[in-house]
Amino acid sequence: MKRLLFTAFLGLLLPASGLALELQSVLERTMVSPPASVQFREERYNRMFAESMWLTGYLEYLEGGQLRKVVQTPFEESFYVRSDRIEIERHGEIEVLPIKQSRALKTMLSGIEAILAGDTERLEKAFRYELTGTEADWSLQLTPRSRRVARQLNGLTVKGDDNDVTSIRFELQGGEWHMMEIQNSPAEQ
């Protein structure tokens, strides 16, 4: 009887392998096949400003290596990311910047695309991670492996449910952060 109670007690303490939340499983369930588009609402905080800024718009995953973020309010601008550059459009003018100039930006974008594509190996190459929660309500804390990147990007927190990523929080240096809530319904363009 004591042995049975001891075994039952150990069973409560040690997670069954089938119950442990695994990164590959989460990414497989939430991966997105391009082309895809969703709406977002983003809060940006910078302690230099009196209050947070709120942005709305839509995100597009056009194909591998191509992401687009379109801000519709409170102003209009878009960011079109290709594998080697980012095109920023404001007031009808386009500025092209090579991504290689910012290793932190390249790492951040690579991590987001790895999540969208369900690419665990690519994600683990750039970030250390901690996955917590349940399949219906999980949180993935990502910390850059590179110390150079970590000087600009403290980390990302990605949250989701059974089938979708629901938010991404970017923690930057100096207490600045961006919190993007993703509304997993087709984007209105």
Side-chain angles (χ1 to χ4, degrees):
M1 179 68 167
K2 285 182 183 179
R3 187 174 197 171
L4 180 62
L5 286 173
F6 180 73
T7 304
F9 181 73
L10 277 179
L12 292 173
L13 293 177
L14 303 173
S17 60
L19 298 177
L21 196 57
E22 294 184 20
L23 181 61
Q24 184 64 42
S25 173
V26 167
L27 293 184
E28 284 174 1
R29 283 193 331 277
T30 60
M31 74 185 221
V32 177
S33 297
S37 181
V38 294
Q39 296 178 53
F40 75 87
R41 180 175 181 242
E42 180 178 353
E43 180 182 11
R44 291 184 180 178
Y45 172 79
N46 184 316
R47 58 184 170 188
M48 293 190 312
F49 302 121
E51 55 187 54
S52 296
M53 178 189 306
W54 288 91
L55 311 171
T56 62
Y58 61 93
L59 305 169
E60 294 178 307
Y61 182 30
L62 303 167
E63 62 181 66
Q66 293 189 20
L67 305 169
R68 188 167 178 234
K69 177 181 179 182
V70 177
V71 176
Q72 296 173 307
T73 62
F75 48 82
E76 292 183 7
E77 69 181 5
S78 71
F79 302 88
Y80 181 27
V81 179
R82 296 176 191 237
S83 56
D84 62 343
R85 68 182 185 271
I86 183 166
E87 297 173 9
I88 304 168
E89 183 175 356
R90 292 185 185 116
H91 311 294
E93 294 183 23
I94 298 175
E95 181 179 0
V96 179
L97 304 170
I99 291 178
K100 67 181 177 183
Q101 286 184 344
S102 173
R103 191 164 175 197
L105 178 60
K106 185 176 181 176
T107 300
M108 204 166 28
L109 293 169
S110 177
I112 290 169
E113 187 175 0
I115 291 167
L116 291 171
D119 189 343
T120 306
E121 187 176 314
R122 184 172 170 188
L123 191 63
E124 289 177 329
K125 190 180 288 187
F127 294 95
R128 286 184 293 281
Y129 73 90
E130 180 181 358
L131 179 62
T132 58
T134 65
E135 287 186 4
D137 183 22
W138 52 268
S139 179
L140 176 61
Q141 180 66 44
L142 300 168
T143 307
R145 289 189 181 278
S146 163
R147 280 187 251 165
R148 185 171 155 198
V149 171
R151 281 185 248 156
Q152 295 177 303
L153 174 66
N154 290 335
L156 297 136
T157 303
V158 182
K159 293 188 177 194
D161 59 26
D162 286 322
N163 301 308
D164 299 302
V165 170
T166 57
S167 69
I168 303 174
R169 181 180 172 109
F170 303 87
E171 293 285 343
L172 306 171
Q173 289 297 320
E176 183 178 347
W177 52 264
H178 301 190
M179 175 64 162
M180 182 179 296
E181 299 168 358
I182 300 168
Q183 296 144 5
N184 289 294
S185 56
E188 294 174 22
Q189 300 175 16

PDB file of all heavy atoms in Angstrom, residues 43 45 141 153 155-159 167-171 175-180:
ATOM      1  N   GLU A  43       0.792  48.353 -29.082  1.00  0.00           N
ATOM      2  CA  GLU A  43       1.110  49.417 -28.140  1.00  0.00           C
ATOM      3  C   GLU A  43       2.625  49.533 -28.065  1.00  0.00           C
ATOM      4  O   GLU A  43       3.317  48.533 -27.880  1.00  0.00           O
ATOM      5  CB  GLU A  43       0.547  49.114 -26.750  1.00  0.00           C
ATOM      6  CG  GLU A  43       0.858  50.194 -25.729  1.00  0.00           C
ATOM      7  CD  GLU A  43       0.336  49.886 -24.337  1.00  0.00           C
ATOM      8  OE1 GLU A  43      -0.091  48.743 -24.087  1.00  0.00           O
ATOM      9  OE2 GLU A  43       0.376  50.796 -23.495  1.00  0.00           O
ATOM     10  N   TYR A  45       5.760  51.497 -26.087  1.00  0.00           N
ATOM     11  CA  TYR A  45       6.112  52.304 -24.918  1.00  0.00           C
ATOM     12  C   TYR A  45       7.576  52.718 -25.001  1.00  0.00           C
ATOM     13  O   TYR A  45       8.457  51.906 -25.274  1.00  0.00           O
ATOM     14  CB  TYR A  45       5.900  51.527 -23.617  1.00  0.00           C
ATOM     15  CG  TYR A  45       6.437  52.284 -22.429  1.00  0.00           C
ATOM     16  CD1 TYR A  45       5.716  53.328 -21.876  1.00  0.00           C
ATOM     17  CD2 TYR A  45       7.683  51.984 -21.901  1.00  0.00           C
ATOM     18  CE1 TYR A  45       6.226  54.059 -20.812  1.00  0.00           C
ATOM     19  CE2 TYR A  45       8.201  52.706 -20.832  1.00  0.00           C
ATOM     20  CZ  TYR A  45       7.465  53.736 -20.293  1.00  0.00           C
ATOM     21  OH  TYR A  45       7.968  54.463 -19.251  1.00  0.00           O
ATOM     22  N   GLN A 141       9.117  32.406 -24.147  1.00  0.00           N
ATOM     23  CA  GLN A 141      10.060  33.483 -23.848  1.00  0.00           C
ATOM     24  C   GLN A 141      11.329  33.231 -24.655  1.00  0.00           C
ATOM     25  O   GLN A 141      11.949  32.182 -24.504  1.00  0.00           O
ATOM     26  CB  GLN A 141      10.370  33.514 -22.348  1.00  0.00           C
ATOM     27  CG  GLN A 141      11.343  34.598 -21.930  1.00  0.00           C
ATOM     28  CD  GLN A 141      10.793  35.990 -22.120  1.00  0.00           C
ATOM     29  OE1 GLN A 141       9.656  36.271 -21.790  1.00  0.00           O
ATOM     30  NE2 GLN A 141      11.602  36.876 -22.656  1.00  0.00           N
ATOM     31  N   LEU A 153      18.195  44.105 -28.072  1.00  0.00           N
ATOM     32  CA  LEU A 153      16.954  43.344 -27.901  1.00  0.00           C
ATOM     33  C   LEU A 153      17.071  42.457 -26.673  1.00  0.00           C
ATOM     34  O   LEU A 153      17.846  41.502 -26.665  1.00  0.00           O
ATOM     35  CB  LEU A 153      16.709  42.479 -29.154  1.00  0.00           C
ATOM     36  CG  LEU A 153      15.543  41.512 -29.120  1.00  0.00           C
ATOM     37  CD1 LEU A 153      14.216  42.266 -29.066  1.00  0.00           C
ATOM     38  CD2 LEU A 153      15.579  40.603 -30.351  1.00  0.00           C
ATOM     39  N   GLY A 155      14.593  40.608 -25.449  1.00  0.00           N
ATOM     40  CA  GLY A 155      13.919  39.353 -25.738  1.00  0.00           C
ATOM     41  C   GLY A 155      12.538  39.574 -26.322  1.00  0.00           C
ATOM     42  O   GLY A 155      12.076  40.707 -26.483  1.00  0.00           O
ATOM     43  N   LEU A 156      11.911  38.462 -26.640  1.00  0.00           N
ATOM     44  CA  LEU A 156      10.551  38.458 -27.171  1.00  0.00           C
ATOM     45  C   LEU A 156       9.731  37.505 -26.316  1.00  0.00           C
ATOM     46  O   LEU A 156      10.232  36.471 -25.879  1.00  0.00           O
ATOM     47  CB  LEU A 156      10.526  37.933 -28.609  1.00  0.00           C
ATOM     48  CG  LEU A 156      11.275  38.714 -29.645  1.00  0.00           C
ATOM     49  CD1 LEU A 156      12.066  37.781 -30.526  1.00  0.00           C
ATOM     50  CD2 LEU A 156      10.293  39.455 -30.499  1.00  0.00           C
ATOM     51  N   THR A 157       8.481  37.847 -26.114  1.00  0.00           N
ATOM     52  CA  THR A 157       7.544  36.928 -25.483  1.00  0.00           C
ATOM     53  C   THR A 157       6.412  36.709 -26.471  1.00  0.00           C
ATOM     54  O   THR A 157       5.742  37.667 -26.873  1.00  0.00           O
ATOM     55  CB  THR A 157       6.985  37.484 -24.160  1.00  0.00           C
ATOM     56  OG1 THR A 157       8.079  37.767 -23.280  1.00  0.00           O
ATOM     57  CG2 THR A 157       6.050  36.487 -23.505  1.00  0.00           C
ATOM     58  N   VAL A 158       6.258  35.466 -26.893  1.00  0.00           N
ATOM     59  CA  VAL A 158       5.223  35.103 -27.851  1.00  0.00           C
ATOM     60  C   VAL A 158       4.181  34.294 -27.097  1.00  0.00           C
ATOM     61  O   VAL A 158       4.523  33.356 -26.381  1.00  0.00           O
ATOM     62  CB  VAL A 158       5.818  34.262 -29.007  1.00  0.00           C
ATOM     63  CG1 VAL A 158       4.755  33.927 -30.034  1.00  0.00           C
ATOM     64  CG2 VAL A 158       6.996  34.986 -29.646  1.00  0.00           C
ATOM     65  N   LYS A 159       2.909  34.654 -27.253  1.00  0.00           N
ATOM     66  CA  LYS A 159       1.830  33.924 -26.585  1.00  0.00           C
ATOM     67  C   LYS A 159       0.859  33.401 -27.629  1.00  0.00           C
ATOM     68  O   LYS A 159       0.734  33.976 -28.709  1.00  0.00           O
ATOM     69  CB  LYS A 159       1.105  34.816 -25.581  1.00  0.00           C
ATOM     70  CG  LYS A 159       1.993  35.198 -24.423  1.00  0.00           C
ATOM     71  CD  LYS A 159       1.238  35.919 -23.347  1.00  0.00           C
ATOM     72  CE  LYS A 159       2.187  36.190 -22.186  1.00  0.00           C
ATOM     73  NZ  LYS A 159       1.481  36.593 -20.996  1.00  0.00           N
ATOM     74  N   SER A 167      -0.136  37.051 -29.493  1.00  0.00           N
ATOM     75  CA  SER A 167       0.580  38.296 -29.211  1.00  0.00           C
ATOM     76  C   SER A 167       2.085  38.068 -29.250  1.00  0.00           C
ATOM     77  O   SER A 167       2.567  36.962 -29.039  1.00  0.00           O
ATOM     78  CB  SER A 167       0.177  38.883 -27.851  1.00  0.00           C
ATOM     79  OG  SER A 167       0.648  38.075 -26.802  1.00  0.00           O
ATOM     80  N   ILE A 168       2.790  39.179 -29.524  1.00  0.00           N
ATOM     81  CA  ILE A 168       4.247  39.179 -29.487  1.00  0.00           C
ATOM     82  C   ILE A 168       4.668  40.465 -28.783  1.00  0.00           C
ATOM     83  O   ILE A 168       4.240  41.554 -29.167  1.00  0.00           O
ATOM     84  CB  ILE A 168       4.877  39.147 -30.897  1.00  0.00           C
ATOM     85  CG1 ILE A 168       4.394  37.933 -31.683  1.00  0.00           C
ATOM     86  CG2 ILE A 168       6.404  39.146 -30.795  1.00  0.00           C
ATOM     87  CD1 ILE A 168       4.858  37.910 -33.134  1.00  0.00           C
ATOM     88  N   ARG A 169       5.484  40.317 -27.758  1.00  0.00           N
ATOM     89  CA  ARG A 169       6.001  41.483 -27.035  1.00  0.00           C
ATOM     90  C   ARG A 169       7.508  41.550 -27.255  1.00  0.00           C
ATOM     91  O   ARG A 169       8.217  40.574 -27.009  1.00  0.00           O
ATOM     92  CB  ARG A 169       5.683  41.376 -25.542  1.00  0.00           C
ATOM     93  CG  ARG A 169       6.173  42.569 -24.746  1.00  0.00           C
ATOM     94  CD  ARG A 169       5.828  42.416 -23.277  1.00  0.00           C
ATOM     95  NE  ARG A 169       6.428  43.438 -22.478  1.00  0.00           N
ATOM     96  CZ  ARG A 169       5.764  44.426 -21.892  1.00  0.00           C
ATOM     97  NH1 ARG A 169       4.452  44.512 -22.028  1.00  0.00           N
ATOM     98  NH2 ARG A 169       6.402  45.321 -21.158  1.00  0.00           N
ATOM     99  N   PHE A 170       7.970  42.703 -27.733  1.00  0.00           N
ATOM    100  CA  PHE A 170       9.379  42.946 -27.977  1.00  0.00           C
ATOM    101  C   PHE A 170       9.915  43.780 -26.823  1.00  0.00           C
ATOM    102  O   PHE A 170       9.417  44.881 -26.580  1.00  0.00           O
ATOM    103  CB  PHE A 170       9.575  43.729 -29.277  1.00  0.00           C
ATOM    104  CG  PHE A 170       8.978  43.064 -30.485  1.00  0.00           C
ATOM    105  CD1 PHE A 170       7.645  43.276 -30.824  1.00  0.00           C
ATOM    106  CD2 PHE A 170       9.735  42.227 -31.279  1.00  0.00           C
ATOM    107  CE1 PHE A 170       7.084  42.669 -31.937  1.00  0.00           C
ATOM    108  CE2 PHE A 170       9.184  41.609 -32.389  1.00  0.00           C
ATOM    109  CZ  PHE A 170       7.864  41.828 -32.720  1.00  0.00           C
ATOM    110  N   GLU A 171      10.909  43.275 -26.116  1.00  0.00           N
ATOM    111  CA  GLU A 171      11.542  44.006 -25.011  1.00  0.00           C
ATOM    112  C   GLU A 171      12.865  44.554 -25.527  1.00  0.00           C
ATOM    113  O   GLU A 171      13.770  43.790 -25.876  1.00  0.00           O
ATOM    114  CB  GLU A 171      11.808  43.072 -23.814  1.00  0.00           C
ATOM    115  CG  GLU A 171      10.573  42.559 -23.146  1.00  0.00           C
ATOM    116  CD  GLU A 171       9.869  43.592 -22.285  1.00  0.00           C
ATOM    117  OE1 GLU A 171      10.480  44.622 -21.925  1.00  0.00           O
ATOM    118  OE2 GLU A 171       8.695  43.356 -21.961  1.00  0.00           O
ATOM    119  N   GLY A 175      14.185  50.094 -21.373  1.00  0.00           N
ATOM    120  CA  GLY A 175      12.811  49.994 -20.901  1.00  0.00           C
ATOM    121  C   GLY A 175      11.766  50.136 -21.999  1.00  0.00           C
ATOM    122  O   GLY A 175      10.568  50.106 -21.732  1.00  0.00           O
ATOM    123  N   GLU A 176      12.189  50.286 -23.253  1.00  0.00           N
ATOM    124  CA  GLU A 176      11.234  50.407 -24.360  1.00  0.00           C
ATOM    125  C   GLU A 176      10.668  49.027 -24.703  1.00  0.00           C
ATOM    126  O   GLU A 176      11.365  48.030 -24.637  1.00  0.00           O
ATOM    127  CB  GLU A 176      11.938  50.985 -25.596  1.00  0.00           C
ATOM    128  CG  GLU A 176      11.018  51.203 -26.765  1.00  0.00           C
ATOM    129  CD  GLU A 176      11.727  51.815 -27.970  1.00  0.00           C
ATOM    130  OE1 GLU A 176      12.866  52.300 -27.826  1.00  0.00           O
ATOM    131  OE2 GLU A 176      11.116  51.803 -29.050  1.00  0.00           O
ATOM    132  N   TRP A 177       9.385  48.999 -25.049  1.00  0.00           N
ATOM    133  CA  TRP A 177       8.762  47.749 -25.473  1.00  0.00           C
ATOM    134  C   TRP A 177       7.647  48.009 -26.472  1.00  0.00           C
ATOM    135  O   TRP A 177       7.119  49.111 -26.543  1.00  0.00           O
ATOM    136  CB  TRP A 177       8.246  46.921 -24.290  1.00  0.00           C
ATOM    137  CG  TRP A 177       7.351  47.650 -23.329  1.00  0.00           C
ATOM    138  CD1 TRP A 177       7.720  48.235 -22.164  1.00  0.00           C
ATOM    139  CD2 TRP A 177       5.934  47.861 -23.444  1.00  0.00           C
ATOM    140  NE1 TRP A 177       6.630  48.810 -21.548  1.00  0.00           N
ATOM    141  CE2 TRP A 177       5.522  48.589 -22.306  1.00  0.00           C
ATOM    142  CE3 TRP A 177       4.977  47.518 -24.388  1.00  0.00           C
ATOM    143  CZ2 TRP A 177       4.199  48.971 -22.109  1.00  0.00           C
ATOM    144  CZ3 TRP A 177       3.660  47.899 -24.195  1.00  0.00           C
ATOM    145  CH2 TRP A 177       3.283  48.610 -23.051  1.00  0.00           C
ATOM    146  N   HIS A 178       7.349  46.972 -27.254  1.00  0.00           N
ATOM    147  CA  HIS A 178       6.245  46.990 -28.213  1.00  0.00           C
ATOM    148  C   HIS A 178       5.428  45.732 -27.967  1.00  0.00           C
ATOM    149  O   HIS A 178       5.980  44.633 -27.948  1.00  0.00           O
ATOM    150  CB  HIS A 178       6.749  46.956 -29.659  1.00  0.00           C
ATOM    151  CG  HIS A 178       7.648  48.086 -30.024  1.00  0.00           C
ATOM    152  ND1 HIS A 178       8.024  48.320 -31.322  1.00  0.00           N
ATOM    153  CD2 HIS A 178       8.252  49.066 -29.299  1.00  0.00           C
ATOM    154  CE1 HIS A 178       8.820  49.373 -31.373  1.00  0.00           C
ATOM    155  NE2 HIS A 178       8.973  49.834 -30.147  1.00  0.00           N
ATOM    156  N   MET A 179       4.130  45.884 -27.797  1.00  0.00           N
ATOM    157  CA  MET A 179       3.235  44.752 -27.556  1.00  0.00           C
ATOM    158  C   MET A 179       2.235  44.676 -28.702  1.00  0.00           C
ATOM    159  O   MET A 179       1.397  45.562 -28.861  1.00  0.00           O
ATOM    160  CB  MET A 179       2.494  44.929 -26.230  1.00  0.00           C
ATOM    161  CG  MET A 179       1.469  43.864 -25.963  1.00  0.00           C
ATOM    162  SD  MET A 179       2.245  42.256 -25.803  1.00  0.00           S
ATOM    163  CE  MET A 179       0.957  41.381 -24.996  1.00  0.00           C
ATOM    164  N   MET A 180       2.340  43.623 -29.514  1.00  0.00           N
ATOM    165  CA  MET A 180       1.477  43.458 -30.670  1.00  0.00           C
ATOM    166  C   MET A 180       0.458  42.351 -30.400  1.00  0.00           C
ATOM    167  O   MET A 180       0.826  41.204 -30.180  1.00  0.00           O
ATOM    168  CB  MET A 180       2.309  43.101 -31.910  1.00  0.00           C
ATOM    169  CG  MET A 180       1.479  42.958 -33.158  1.00  0.00           C
ATOM    170  SD  MET A 180       2.481  42.559 -34.603  1.00  0.00           S
ATOM    171  CE  MET A 180       3.477  44.014 -34.749  1.00  0.00           C
TER     172      MET A 180
END
